[in-house]
Amino acid sequence: MQGRGLAGRAAAPPLKIAAEQKTSTVTFASNLFCDVSQDAGLSLLQRMADAGDAGAMAALCDLYKGRLGGRDQPDFVDAQKALYWQERAVEGGDLIATYNLGVRLVAAGGADNEARARELYLRCLREAEAGERVWGPTCRNLACLAFDGQNDAHKREAVECALIPLWWRGEDDDKLWAAGYLADVYHFGNGVPANAFLALTWLQRASEIDTGYVDVVRMTPLINGEGRWFGASRARKQQAQDRQQVDSATWALTFGQRSQDSDLTAV
Protein backbone atom coordinates (compact mmCIF):
# COMPACT_ATOMS: atom_id res chain seq x y z
CA MET A 1 0.00 0.00 0.00
CA GLN A 2 1.24 3.49 -0.64
CA GLY A 3 1.95 5.70 2.33
CA ARG A 4 2.04 3.88 5.63
CA GLY A 5 0.18 0.90 4.25
CA LEU A 6 -2.71 -0.99 5.77
CA ALA A 7 -1.11 -4.41 6.05
CA GLY A 8 0.18 -3.58 9.52
CA ARG A 9 -3.29 -3.34 11.00
CA ALA A 10 -3.88 -6.07 13.53
CA ALA A 11 -6.66 -8.53 12.77
CA ALA A 12 -9.17 -9.35 15.45
CA PRO A 13 -8.15 -12.41 17.51
CA PRO A 14 -10.04 -15.70 17.88
CA LEU A 15 -13.18 -15.68 19.98
CA LYS A 16 -13.57 -18.04 22.89
CA ILE A 17 -16.27 -20.64 22.44
CA ALA A 18 -18.11 -19.94 25.67
CA ALA A 19 -20.34 -22.83 26.62
CA GLU A 20 -22.60 -20.57 28.62
CA GLN A 21 -23.63 -18.85 25.41
CA LYS A 22 -24.83 -22.08 23.84
CA THR A 23 -28.10 -23.86 24.46
CA SER A 24 -29.12 -24.57 28.04
CA THR A 25 -28.43 -28.27 27.48
CA VAL A 26 -24.85 -27.57 26.45
CA THR A 27 -24.48 -25.32 29.48
CA PHE A 28 -25.84 -28.11 31.66
CA ALA A 29 -23.42 -30.62 30.12
CA SER A 30 -20.49 -28.24 30.64
CA ASN A 31 -21.45 -27.61 34.25
CA LEU A 32 -21.87 -31.34 34.74
CA PHE A 33 -18.36 -31.87 33.39
CA CYS A 34 -16.81 -29.13 35.55
CA ASP A 35 -18.65 -29.61 38.83
CA VAL A 36 -19.99 -33.16 39.09
CA SER A 37 -18.52 -35.76 36.76
CA GLN A 38 -16.16 -35.28 33.85
CA ASP A 39 -17.16 -38.65 32.42
CA ALA A 40 -20.87 -37.85 32.57
CA GLY A 41 -20.46 -34.36 31.16
CA LEU A 42 -18.23 -35.53 28.34
CA SER A 43 -20.60 -38.37 27.51
CA LEU A 44 -23.54 -35.96 27.29
CA LEU A 45 -21.63 -33.54 25.07
CA GLN A 46 -20.54 -36.42 22.86
CA ARG A 47 -24.11 -37.73 22.48
CA MET A 48 -25.40 -34.26 21.65
CA ALA A 49 -22.64 -33.68 19.11
CA ASP A 50 -23.25 -37.05 17.49
CA ALA A 51 -26.92 -36.06 17.21
CA GLY A 52 -25.95 -32.91 15.27
CA ASP A 53 -25.85 -30.21 17.95
CA ALA A 54 -23.35 -27.63 16.66
CA GLY A 55 -23.10 -26.00 20.09
CA ALA A 56 -21.98 -29.30 21.60
CA MET A 57 -19.48 -29.73 18.78
CA ALA A 58 -18.07 -26.27 19.51
CA ALA A 59 -17.89 -27.08 23.24
CA LEU A 60 -15.91 -30.24 22.47
CA CYS A 61 -13.57 -28.21 20.29
CA ASP A 62 -13.12 -25.82 23.20
CA LEU A 63 -12.48 -28.69 25.60
CA TYR A 64 -9.79 -30.25 23.41
CA LYS A 65 -8.16 -26.84 23.09
CA GLY A 66 -7.87 -26.95 26.87
CA ARG A 67 -10.77 -24.93 28.24
CA LEU A 68 -14.45 -25.54 29.01
CA GLY A 69 -17.02 -23.72 31.10
CA GLY A 70 -14.62 -20.87 31.76
CA ARG A 71 -12.02 -23.19 33.29
CA ASP A 72 -8.71 -24.49 32.01
CA GLN A 73 -8.73 -28.20 31.16
CA PRO A 74 -5.08 -28.99 30.36
CA ASP A 75 -5.51 -32.75 30.69
CA PHE A 76 -7.83 -32.79 27.67
CA VAL A 77 -5.67 -30.85 25.21
CA ASP A 78 -5.65 -32.71 21.90
CA ALA A 79 -4.99 -30.66 18.76
CA GLN A 80 -6.26 -33.33 16.38
CA LYS A 81 -9.56 -33.75 18.22
CA ALA A 82 -9.94 -29.98 18.57
CA LEU A 83 -9.56 -29.51 14.83
CA TYR A 84 -11.96 -32.37 14.10
CA TRP A 85 -14.70 -30.88 16.28
CA GLN A 86 -14.03 -27.40 14.99
CA GLU A 87 -14.60 -28.60 11.44
CA ARG A 88 -17.75 -30.43 12.53
CA ALA A 89 -19.02 -27.31 14.32
CA VAL A 90 -18.39 -25.24 11.20
CA GLU A 91 -20.32 -27.75 9.11
CA GLY A 92 -23.09 -27.60 11.68
CA GLY A 93 -23.38 -23.82 11.41
CA ASP A 94 -21.68 -22.57 14.58
CA LEU A 95 -20.48 -19.07 13.64
CA ILE A 96 -17.88 -18.67 16.39
CA ALA A 97 -16.25 -21.90 15.26
CA THR A 98 -16.50 -20.67 11.67
CA TYR A 99 -14.84 -17.37 12.54
CA ASN A 100 -12.12 -19.05 14.63
CA LEU A 101 -11.31 -21.47 11.82
CA GLY A 102 -10.88 -18.49 9.51
CA VAL A 103 -8.44 -16.92 11.98
CA ARG A 104 -6.49 -20.18 12.23
CA LEU A 105 -6.25 -20.54 8.45
CA VAL A 106 -4.98 -16.98 7.97
CA ALA A 107 -2.38 -17.53 10.70
CA ALA A 108 -1.23 -20.71 8.95
CA GLY A 109 -0.71 -18.76 5.72
CA GLY A 110 -0.82 -19.90 2.13
CA ALA A 111 -3.10 -18.97 -0.75
CA ASP A 112 -5.47 -21.92 -0.30
CA ASN A 113 -5.90 -21.28 3.43
CA GLU A 114 -6.52 -17.59 2.87
CA ALA A 115 -9.05 -18.30 0.13
CA ARG A 116 -10.99 -20.60 2.43
CA ALA A 117 -10.72 -18.10 5.30
CA ARG A 118 -12.27 -15.44 3.06
CA GLU A 119 -15.22 -17.72 2.31
CA LEU A 120 -15.66 -18.47 6.02
CA TYR A 121 -15.60 -14.76 6.87
CA LEU A 122 -18.15 -14.00 4.16
CA ARG A 123 -20.36 -16.75 5.54
CA CYS A 124 -20.16 -15.15 8.99
CA LEU A 125 -21.18 -11.79 7.51
CA ARG A 126 -24.09 -13.34 5.64
CA GLU A 127 -25.43 -15.27 8.60
CA ALA A 128 -24.59 -13.06 11.60
CA GLU A 129 -26.67 -10.15 12.77
CA ALA A 130 -24.70 -6.97 13.48
CA GLY A 131 -24.98 -7.51 17.23
CA GLU A 132 -23.58 -11.03 17.20
CA ARG A 133 -20.12 -11.55 18.62
CA VAL A 134 -18.59 -12.60 15.32
CA TRP A 135 -19.86 -9.76 13.16
CA GLY A 136 -17.55 -6.88 14.09
CA PRO A 137 -14.37 -8.99 14.32
CA THR A 138 -15.26 -10.62 10.99
CA CYS A 139 -15.59 -7.21 9.31
CA ARG A 140 -12.16 -6.26 10.57
CA ASN A 141 -10.52 -9.53 9.59
CA LEU A 142 -12.05 -9.63 6.12
CA ALA A 143 -10.71 -6.11 5.52
CA CYS A 144 -7.24 -7.01 6.82
CA LEU A 145 -7.16 -10.16 4.70
CA ALA A 146 -8.22 -8.30 1.56
CA PHE A 147 -5.82 -5.40 1.97
CA ASP A 148 -2.90 -7.67 2.81
CA GLY A 149 -3.40 -9.14 -0.66
CA GLN A 150 -3.28 -7.83 -4.21
CA ASN A 151 -6.78 -8.67 -5.45
CA ASP A 152 -8.64 -5.41 -6.15
CA ALA A 153 -11.98 -7.21 -6.40
CA HIS A 154 -11.51 -8.57 -2.88
CA LYS A 155 -10.55 -5.11 -1.64
CA ARG A 156 -13.66 -3.59 -3.19
CA GLU A 157 -15.71 -6.37 -1.63
CA ALA A 158 -14.20 -5.60 1.78
CA VAL A 159 -15.03 -1.91 1.41
CA GLU A 160 -18.65 -2.61 0.50
CA CYS A 161 -19.36 -5.66 2.67
CA ALA A 162 -17.22 -5.00 5.73
CA LEU A 163 -15.78 -1.51 6.19
CA ILE A 164 -18.79 0.64 5.27
CA PRO A 165 -21.28 -1.60 7.13
CA LEU A 166 -18.94 -1.54 10.13
CA TRP A 167 -19.23 2.26 10.12
CA TRP A 168 -23.01 2.24 9.95
CA ARG A 169 -23.71 -0.61 12.36
CA GLY A 170 -20.68 -0.93 14.62
CA GLU A 171 -19.82 0.47 18.02
CA ASP A 172 -17.77 3.67 18.26
CA ASP A 173 -14.46 1.80 18.23
CA ASP A 174 -15.56 -0.04 15.11
CA LYS A 175 -16.74 3.19 13.48
CA LEU A 176 -13.42 4.89 14.17
CA TRP A 177 -11.40 1.95 12.89
CA ALA A 178 -13.48 1.66 9.71
CA ALA A 179 -13.55 5.39 8.96
CA GLY A 180 -9.78 5.72 9.37
CA TYR A 181 -9.27 2.72 7.13
CA LEU A 182 -11.60 4.15 4.47
CA ALA A 183 -9.93 7.56 4.52
CA ASP A 184 -6.65 5.81 3.64
CA VAL A 185 -8.25 3.55 1.02
CA TYR A 186 -9.95 6.38 -0.87
CA HIS A 187 -7.01 8.75 -0.60
CA PHE A 188 -4.56 6.28 -2.14
CA GLY A 189 -7.05 4.48 -4.40
CA ASN A 190 -6.33 1.06 -2.95
CA GLY A 191 -8.77 -1.36 -4.54
CA VAL A 192 -11.21 1.46 -5.31
CA PRO A 193 -10.82 4.57 -7.47
CA ALA A 194 -8.98 7.31 -5.59
CA ASN A 195 -11.49 9.96 -4.55
CA ALA A 196 -10.48 13.04 -2.55
CA PHE A 197 -14.07 13.83 -1.59
CA LEU A 198 -14.70 10.38 -0.11
CA ALA A 199 -11.31 10.41 1.62
CA LEU A 200 -12.26 13.73 3.25
CA THR A 201 -15.69 12.41 4.19
CA TRP A 202 -14.25 9.42 6.03
CA LEU A 203 -11.50 11.49 7.62
CA GLN A 204 -14.07 13.89 9.03
CA ARG A 205 -16.22 11.04 10.31
CA ALA A 206 -13.24 9.56 12.12
CA SER A 207 -12.20 12.94 13.54
CA GLU A 208 -15.70 13.52 14.93
CA ILE A 209 -15.12 10.49 17.15
CA ASP A 210 -11.46 11.06 18.07
CA THR A 211 -9.30 13.90 16.76
CA GLY A 212 -6.21 12.21 18.18
CA TYR A 213 -6.77 8.86 16.48
CA VAL A 214 -3.64 7.67 14.69
CA ASP A 215 -5.27 7.61 11.24
CA VAL A 216 -6.77 11.06 11.73
CA VAL A 217 -3.38 12.49 12.70
CA ARG A 218 -1.63 10.69 9.84
CA MET A 219 -4.16 11.36 7.08
CA THR A 220 -5.19 14.95 7.85
CA PRO A 221 -2.15 16.66 6.28
CA LEU A 222 -2.26 14.33 3.28
CA ILE A 223 -5.95 14.82 2.56
CA ASN A 224 -5.86 18.57 3.23
CA GLY A 225 -2.83 19.10 1.02
CA GLU A 226 -0.67 20.54 3.78
CA GLY A 227 3.02 21.18 3.08
CA ARG A 228 2.61 21.87 -0.65
CA TRP A 229 2.41 25.07 -2.64
CA PHE A 230 -1.27 26.00 -2.80
CA GLY A 231 -1.88 22.55 -1.34
CA ALA A 232 -5.04 23.43 0.57
CA SER A 233 -6.72 25.16 -2.38
CA ARG A 234 -5.74 22.32 -4.72
CA ALA A 235 -7.08 19.78 -2.27
CA ARG A 236 -10.42 21.60 -2.02
CA LYS A 237 -10.64 21.82 -5.81
CA GLN A 238 -9.92 18.11 -6.18
CA GLN A 239 -12.48 17.26 -3.52
CA ALA A 240 -15.13 19.28 -5.34
CA GLN A 241 -14.29 17.60 -8.64
CA ASP A 242 -14.23 14.11 -7.14
CA ARG A 243 -17.60 14.64 -5.50
CA GLN A 244 -19.09 14.56 -8.97
CA GLN A 245 -17.32 11.29 -9.75
CA VAL A 246 -18.94 9.26 -6.98
CA ASP A 247 -21.15 6.61 -8.57
CA SER A 248 -24.70 6.19 -7.30
CA ALA A 249 -24.05 2.84 -5.61
CA THR A 250 -21.06 4.17 -3.65
CA TRP A 251 -23.03 7.31 -2.78
CA ALA A 252 -25.87 5.24 -1.37
CA LEU A 253 -23.48 3.09 0.68
CA THR A 254 -21.69 6.16 2.03
CA PHE A 255 -24.56 8.56 2.64
CA GLY A 256 -27.69 6.44 2.75
CA GLN A 257 -30.73 8.11 1.24
CA ARG A 258 -29.29 11.61 1.00
CA SER A 259 -29.52 12.89 -2.54
CA GLN A 260 -26.33 13.37 -4.48
CA ASP A 261 -27.76 16.75 -5.56
CA SER A 262 -28.08 17.97 -1.98
CA ASP A 263 -25.86 20.70 -0.58
CA LEU A 264 -23.35 18.31 0.94
CA THR A 265 -19.60 18.76 1.09
CA ALA A 266 -18.66 16.19 3.68
CA VAL A 267 -20.06 14.62 6.80
Side-chain angles (χ1 to χ4, degrees):
M1 163 100 215
Q2 299 165 342
R4 172 185 68 124
L6 293 171
R9 286 177 178 255
L15 296 171
K16 291 181 179 179
I17 304 173
E20 62 269 22
Q21 295 196 4
K22 304 298 177 183
T23 64
S24 58
T25 308
V26 174
T27 303
F28 173 80
S30 299
N31 291 339
L32 181 63
F33 178 95
C34 292
D35 298 324
V36 180
S37 167
Q38 289 185 343
D39 289 341
L42 181 58
S43 176
L44 180 55
L45 285 173
Q46 184 73 56
R47 290 200 305 273
M48 293 169 62
D50 289 341
D53 189 309
M57 297 171 191
L60 286 170
C61 170
D62 206 20
L63 173 64
Y64 291 120
K65 286 181 178 180
R67 190 169 177 83
L68 183 67
R71 304 180 192 178
D72 291 334
Q73 308 290 348
D75 293 341
F76 287 85
V77 172
D78 187 317
Q80 186 173 356
K81 288 183 179 179
L83 180 58
Y84 170 78
W85 285 112
Q86 185 174 44
E87 291 280 6
R88 289 283 306 276
V90 170
E91 293 171 4
D94 186 276
L95 292 185
I96 292 180
T98 301
Y99 167 85
N100 285 342
L101 180 56
V103 173
R104 185 183 69 79
L105 290 169
V106 171
D112 290 343
N113 284 340
E114 291 178 359
R116 188 182 178 204
R118 173 176 163 270
E119 292 302 321
L120 293 172
Y121 288 151
L122 288 171
R123 174 181 166 187
C124 286
L125 293 187
R126 286 193 302 268
E127 298 181 12
E129 296 296 331
E132 281 195 55
R133 291 177 65 207
V134 300
W135 184 80
T138 299
C139 287
R140 292 184 181 229
N141 284 9
L142 182 65
C144 288
L145 180 61
F147 286 97
D148 277 347
Q150 302 299 320
N151 189 310
D152 282 350
H154 292 173
K155 294 177 182 180
R156 177 84 184 194
E157 175 184 68
V159 167
E160 296 177 353
C161 297
L163 288 173
I164 293 180
L166 191 60
W167 160 263
W168 285 111
R169 298 160 62 187
E171 302 295 335
D172 275 356
D173 285 349
D174 290 330
K175 289 176 180 288
L176 183 59
W177 191 89
Y181 215 127
L182 287 161
D184 190 303
V185 165
Y186 279 111
H187 178 74
F188 290 112
N190 191 10
V192 295
N195 189 291
F197 170 71
L198 291 174
L200 176 64
T201 295
W202 290 111
L203 175 69
Q204 291 187 339
R205 285 177 168 177
S207 65
E208 288 173 2
I209 299 173
D210 184 356
T211 57
Y213 183 57
V214 60
D215 283 336
V216 173
V217 173
R218 179 178 60 88
M219 293 304 300
T220 294
L222 296 174
I223 290 174
N224 288 339
E226 298 175 15
R228 295 181 294 163
W229 285 102
F230 304 107
S233 61
R234 289 178 179 177
R236 287 193 296 270
K237 182 179 179 180
Q238 189 66 57
Q239 290 154 11
Q241 291 175 348
D242 285 359
R243 182 184 188 280
Q244 305 305 318
Q245 302 304 314
V246 181
D247 63 82
S248 58
T250 301
W251 187 275
L253 284 170
T254 307
F255 299 109
Q257 299 301 313
R258 283 186 251 186
S259 169
Q260 198 159 349
D261 297 325
S262 63
D263 183 16
L264 179 67
T265 56
V267 175

mmCIF file of all heavy atoms in Angstrom, residues 57-58 60-66 76-88:
data_model
loop_
_atom_site.group_PDB
_atom_site.id
_atom_site.type_symbol
_atom_site.label_atom_id
_atom_site.label_comp_id
_atom_site.label_asym_id
_atom_site.label_seq_id
_atom_site.Cartn_x
_atom_site.Cartn_y
_atom_site.Cartn_z
ATOM 1 N N MET A 57 -20.707 -29.545 19.543
ATOM 2 C CA MET A 57 -19.476 -29.726 18.777
ATOM 3 C C MET A 57 -18.468 -28.629 19.115
ATOM 4 O O MET A 57 -17.270 -28.893 19.308
ATOM 5 C CB MET A 57 -19.782 -29.704 17.282
ATOM 6 C CG MET A 57 -20.679 -30.816 16.790
ATOM 7 S SD MET A 57 -21.163 -30.531 15.062
ATOM 8 C CE MET A 57 -22.453 -31.772 14.850
ATOM 9 N N ALA A 58 -18.947 -27.391 19.193
ATOM 10 C CA ALA A 58 -18.069 -26.267 19.513
ATOM 11 C C ALA A 58 -17.521 -26.402 20.931
ATOM 12 O O ALA A 58 -16.357 -26.077 21.194
ATOM 13 C CB ALA A 58 -18.827 -24.950 19.355
ATOM 14 N N LEU A 60 -16.948 -29.210 22.510
ATOM 15 C CA LEU A 60 -15.912 -30.245 22.469
ATOM 16 C C LEU A 60 -14.621 -29.689 21.862
ATOM 17 O O LEU A 60 -13.517 -30.013 22.326
ATOM 18 C CB LEU A 60 -16.409 -31.449 21.668
ATOM 19 C CG LEU A 60 -17.441 -32.324 22.374
ATOM 20 C CD1 LEU A 60 -18.036 -33.341 21.403
ATOM 21 C CD2 LEU A 60 -16.824 -33.035 23.574
ATOM 22 N N CYS A 61 -14.753 -28.873 20.853
ATOM 23 C CA CYS A 61 -13.573 -28.208 20.294
ATOM 24 C C CYS A 61 -12.875 -27.394 21.382
ATOM 25 O O CYS A 61 -11.647 -27.456 21.543
ATOM 26 C CB CYS A 61 -13.990 -27.315 19.123
ATOM 27 S SG CYS A 61 -12.689 -26.216 18.531
ATOM 28 N N ASP A 62 -13.662 -26.641 22.122
ATOM 29 C CA ASP A 62 -13.120 -25.821 23.204
ATOM 30 C C ASP A 62 -12.421 -26.689 24.252
ATOM 31 O O ASP A 62 -11.320 -26.370 24.718
ATOM 32 C CB ASP A 62 -14.265 -25.042 23.848
ATOM 33 C CG ASP A 62 -13.808 -23.748 24.498
ATOM 34 O OD1 ASP A 62 -12.715 -23.260 24.154
ATOM 35 O OD2 ASP A 62 -14.546 -23.216 25.349
ATOM 36 N N LEU A 63 -13.067 -27.786 24.613
ATOM 37 C CA LEU A 63 -12.484 -28.690 25.604
ATOM 38 C C LEU A 63 -11.126 -29.209 25.148
ATOM 39 O O LEU A 63 -10.151 -29.206 25.915
ATOM 40 C CB LEU A 63 -13.439 -29.863 25.860
ATOM 41 C CG LEU A 63 -12.892 -30.980 26.745
ATOM 42 C CD1 LEU A 63 -12.608 -30.466 28.156
ATOM 43 C CD2 LEU A 63 -13.882 -32.154 26.789
ATOM 44 N N TYR A 64 -11.048 -29.658 23.891
ATOM 45 C CA TYR A 64 -9.795 -30.249 23.409
ATOM 46 C C TYR A 64 -8.741 -29.191 23.083
ATOM 47 O O TYR A 64 -7.579 -29.530 22.849
ATOM 48 C CB TYR A 64 -10.070 -31.160 22.219
ATOM 49 C CG TYR A 64 -10.829 -32.407 22.636
ATOM 50 C CD1 TYR A 64 -12.081 -32.718 22.113
ATOM 51 C CD2 TYR A 64 -10.297 -33.260 23.603
ATOM 52 C CE1 TYR A 64 -12.775 -33.837 22.513
ATOM 53 C CE2 TYR A 64 -10.978 -34.396 24.012
ATOM 54 C CZ TYR A 64 -12.227 -34.676 23.471
ATOM 55 O OH TYR A 64 -12.919 -35.792 23.886
ATOM 56 N N LYS A 65 -9.152 -27.925 23.118
ATOM 57 C CA LYS A 65 -8.157 -26.843 23.088
ATOM 58 C C LYS A 65 -7.664 -26.512 24.492
ATOM 59 O O LYS A 65 -6.739 -25.726 24.657
ATOM 60 C CB LYS A 65 -8.757 -25.587 22.457
ATOM 61 C CG LYS A 65 -8.920 -25.675 20.937
ATOM 62 C CD LYS A 65 -9.497 -24.389 20.380
ATOM 63 C CE LYS A 65 -9.607 -24.456 18.872
ATOM 64 N NZ LYS A 65 -10.183 -23.195 18.315
ATOM 65 N N GLY A 66 -8.357 -27.093 25.505
ATOM 66 C CA GLY A 66 -7.872 -26.946 26.872
ATOM 67 C C GLY A 66 -8.698 -26.061 27.766
ATOM 68 O O GLY A 66 -8.230 -25.653 28.835
ATOM 69 N N PHE A 76 -7.047 -32.373 28.840
ATOM 70 C CA PHE A 76 -7.830 -32.788 27.673
ATOM 71 C C PHE A 76 -7.300 -32.200 26.364
ATOM 72 O O PHE A 76 -7.896 -32.414 25.308
ATOM 73 C CB PHE A 76 -9.299 -32.390 27.856
ATOM 74 C CG PHE A 76 -10.018 -33.234 28.853
ATOM 75 C CD1 PHE A 76 -9.954 -32.926 30.213
ATOM 76 C CD2 PHE A 76 -10.723 -34.359 28.471
ATOM 77 C CE1 PHE A 76 -10.606 -33.712 31.155
ATOM 78 C CE2 PHE A 76 -11.372 -35.163 29.403
ATOM 79 C CZ PHE A 76 -11.316 -34.840 30.756
ATOM 80 N N VAL A 77 -6.199 -31.474 26.415
ATOM 81 C CA VAL A 77 -5.668 -30.851 25.206
ATOM 82 C C VAL A 77 -5.315 -31.923 24.180
ATOM 83 O O VAL A 77 -4.567 -32.862 24.460
ATOM 84 C CB VAL A 77 -4.428 -29.988 25.527
ATOM 85 C CG1 VAL A 77 -3.766 -29.509 24.232
ATOM 86 C CG2 VAL A 77 -4.816 -28.806 26.399
ATOM 87 N N ASP A 78 -5.885 -31.771 22.991
ATOM 88 C CA ASP A 78 -5.646 -32.710 21.900
ATOM 89 C C ASP A 78 -5.902 -31.945 20.603
ATOM 90 O O ASP A 78 -7.049 -31.733 20.212
ATOM 91 C CB ASP A 78 -6.570 -33.916 22.013
ATOM 92 C CG ASP A 78 -6.262 -35.020 20.992
ATOM 93 O OD1 ASP A 78 -6.012 -34.678 19.818
ATOM 94 O OD2 ASP A 78 -6.288 -36.202 21.369
ATOM 95 N N ALA A 79 -4.852 -31.517 19.935
ATOM 96 C CA ALA A 79 -4.988 -30.662 18.764
ATOM 97 C C ALA A 79 -5.775 -31.333 17.646
ATOM 98 O O ALA A 79 -6.577 -30.683 16.955
ATOM 99 C CB ALA A 79 -3.604 -30.245 18.258
ATOM 100 N N GLN A 80 -5.574 -32.620 17.455
ATOM 101 C CA GLN A 80 -6.264 -33.328 16.385
ATOM 102 C C GLN A 80 -7.770 -33.382 16.646
ATOM 103 O O GLN A 80 -8.581 -33.131 15.750
ATOM 104 C CB GLN A 80 -5.699 -34.739 16.229
ATOM 105 C CG GLN A 80 -6.263 -35.497 15.028
ATOM 106 C CD GLN A 80 -5.552 -36.818 14.803
ATOM 107 O OE1 GLN A 80 -4.595 -37.157 15.493
ATOM 108 N NE2 GLN A 80 -6.019 -37.568 13.819
ATOM 109 N N LYS A 81 -8.142 -33.703 17.883
ATOM 110 C CA LYS A 81 -9.562 -33.746 18.218
ATOM 111 C C LYS A 81 -10.179 -32.347 18.169
ATOM 112 O O LYS A 81 -11.325 -32.174 17.738
ATOM 113 C CB LYS A 81 -9.767 -34.358 19.608
ATOM 114 C CG LYS A 81 -9.519 -35.860 19.665
ATOM 115 C CD LYS A 81 -9.809 -36.406 21.063
ATOM 116 C CE LYS A 81 -9.597 -37.907 21.123
ATOM 117 N NZ LYS A 81 -9.862 -38.445 22.495
ATOM 118 N N ALA A 82 -9.428 -31.349 18.608
ATOM 119 C CA ALA A 82 -9.942 -29.979 18.573
ATOM 120 C C ALA A 82 -10.249 -29.564 17.143
ATOM 121 O O ALA A 82 -11.303 -28.968 16.865
ATOM 122 C CB ALA A 82 -8.939 -29.019 19.203
ATOM 123 N N LEU A 83 -9.336 -29.864 16.223
ATOM 124 C CA LEU A 83 -9.560 -29.505 14.825
ATOM 125 C C LEU A 83 -10.738 -30.283 14.246
ATOM 126 O O LEU A 83 -11.555 -29.719 13.496
ATOM 127 C CB LEU A 83 -8.291 -29.780 14.016
ATOM 128 C CG LEU A 83 -8.382 -29.460 12.520
ATOM 129 C CD1 LEU A 83 -8.749 -28.003 12.294
ATOM 130 C CD2 LEU A 83 -7.059 -29.794 11.834
ATOM 131 N N TYR A 84 -10.839 -31.561 14.598
ATOM 132 C CA TYR A 84 -11.959 -32.369 14.098
ATOM 133 C C TYR A 84 -13.294 -31.755 14.517
ATOM 134 O O TYR A 84 -14.191 -31.571 13.675
ATOM 135 C CB TYR A 84 -11.851 -33.798 14.635
ATOM 136 C CG TYR A 84 -13.080 -34.633 14.372
ATOM 137 C CD1 TYR A 84 -13.313 -35.189 13.126
ATOM 138 C CD2 TYR A 84 -14.031 -34.843 15.384
ATOM 139 C CE1 TYR A 84 -14.457 -35.948 12.872
ATOM 140 C CE2 TYR A 84 -15.170 -35.607 15.142
ATOM 141 C CZ TYR A 84 -15.382 -36.148 13.883
ATOM 142 O OH TYR A 84 -16.521 -36.890 13.645
ATOM 143 N N TRP A 85 -13.423 -31.412 15.807
ATOM 144 C CA TRP A 85 -14.701 -30.878 16.276
ATOM 145 C C TRP A 85 -14.926 -29.446 15.801
ATOM 146 O O TRP A 85 -16.074 -29.023 15.625
ATOM 147 C CB TRP A 85 -14.791 -30.980 17.791
ATOM 148 C CG TRP A 85 -15.053 -32.392 18.239
ATOM 149 C CD1 TRP A 85 -14.215 -33.213 18.919
ATOM 150 C CD2 TRP A 85 -16.235 -33.157 17.973
ATOM 151 N NE1 TRP A 85 -14.793 -34.443 19.113
ATOM 152 C CE2 TRP A 85 -16.047 -34.435 18.543
ATOM 153 C CE3 TRP A 85 -17.440 -32.888 17.316
ATOM 154 C CZ2 TRP A 85 -16.995 -35.442 18.464
ATOM 155 C CZ3 TRP A 85 -18.400 -33.888 17.238
ATOM 156 C CH2 TRP A 85 -18.180 -35.145 17.811
ATOM 157 N N GLN A 86 -13.856 -28.736 15.565
ATOM 158 C CA GLN A 86 -14.028 -27.400 14.987
ATOM 159 C C GLN A 86 -14.617 -27.505 13.580
ATOM 160 O O GLN A 86 -15.560 -26.775 13.223
ATOM 161 C CB GLN A 86 -12.694 -26.655 14.944
ATOM 162 C CG GLN A 86 -12.831 -25.209 14.460
ATOM 163 C CD GLN A 86 -11.529 -24.449 14.568
ATOM 164 O OE1 GLN A 86 -10.464 -24.953 14.216
ATOM 165 N NE2 GLN A 86 -11.594 -23.232 15.060
ATOM 166 N N GLU A 87 -14.074 -28.398 12.787
ATOM 167 C CA GLU A 87 -14.598 -28.596 11.435
ATOM 168 C C GLU A 87 -16.056 -29.062 11.477
ATOM 169 O O GLU A 87 -16.888 -28.595 10.690
ATOM 170 C CB GLU A 87 -13.740 -29.608 10.669
ATOM 171 C CG GLU A 87 -12.348 -29.125 10.323
ATOM 172 C CD GLU A 87 -12.326 -28.214 9.103
ATOM 173 O OE1 GLU A 87 -13.410 -27.869 8.592
ATOM 174 O OE2 GLU A 87 -11.219 -27.852 8.659
ATOM 175 N N ARG A 88 -16.366 -29.960 12.399
ATOM 176 C CA ARG A 88 -17.749 -30.426 12.533
ATOM 177 C C ARG A 88 -18.672 -29.280 12.942
ATOM 178 O O ARG A 88 -19.797 -29.154 12.448
ATOM 179 C CB ARG A 88 -17.820 -31.556 13.578
ATOM 180 C CG ARG A 88 -17.210 -32.879 13.146
ATOM 181 C CD ARG A 88 -18.115 -33.644 12.189
ATOM 182 N NE ARG A 88 -19.447 -33.833 12.721
ATOM 183 C CZ ARG A 88 -19.817 -34.822 13.555
ATOM 184 N NH1 ARG A 88 -18.899 -35.693 13.983
ATOM 185 N NH2 ARG A 88 -21.062 -34.926 13.961
#
